[in-house]
Amino acid sequence: MTQTLILNLVVEKIRSTINEDWIHDFEIDLETRFNEDLEIESIEFVKIANAIQQHYGDRLNIAAWLSGKSINELIGLNVGQLVDYIETQTESK
């Protein structure tokens, strides 16, 4: 799966999870940070991660991937890092 297709899926999951008017017009790219740019609360991020996990099934383990990150890495997490993780995991399976 190409990076663009994965990015489109992640953006769609972000927009459908947040489901507020502003998010549909907000430009989301690989550099967009979940915390600082989107101001996503942790429960919203969990919902996004669950939606992505359901889409890819057992090819991903987002919870395990996140558990290996420091608090500063989690705060600075951007869409591109999540896309890279998905791309790496789906290429190898």
Side-chain angles (χ1 to χ4, degrees):
M1 183 172 262
T2 69
Q3 186 180 58
T4 301
L5 290 174
I6 296 169
L7 175 61
N8 290 341
L9 179 110
V10 170
V11 169
E12 186 268 325
K13 298 299 182 189
I14 291 169
R15 289 194 167 123
S16 65
T17 300
I18 295 177
N19 198 23
E20 294 179 15
D21 291 341
W22 67 270
I23 195 70
H24 297 288
D25 297 327
F26 192 90
E27 184 176 340
I28 301 171
D29 61 22
L30 295 171
E31 301 302 320
T32 303
R33 292 164 295 189
F34 288 98
N35 188 40
E36 191 167 325
D37 297 326
L38 298 176
E39 298 181 358
I40 289 178
E41 295 180 15
S42 58
I43 188 68
E44 291 171 320
F45 186 81
V46 169
K47 289 179 181 178
I48 293 165
N50 281 339
I52 293 168
Q53 183 75 54
Q54 286 179 347
H55 179 84
Y56 288 102
D58 63 359
R59 293 185 289 169
L60 302 181
N61 188 342
I62 295 175
W65 176 66
L66 292 172
S67 71
K69 299 202 171 297
S70 71
I71 190 70
N72 287 333
E73 289 173 322
L74 292 172
I75 290 171
L77 189 68
N78 65 35
V79 171
Q81 291 170 296
L82 179 57
V83 168
D84 288 345
Y85 167 72
I86 295 168
E87 186 175 24
T88 301
Q89 294 304 301
T90 56
E91 281 178 349
S92 64
K93 295 184 178 176

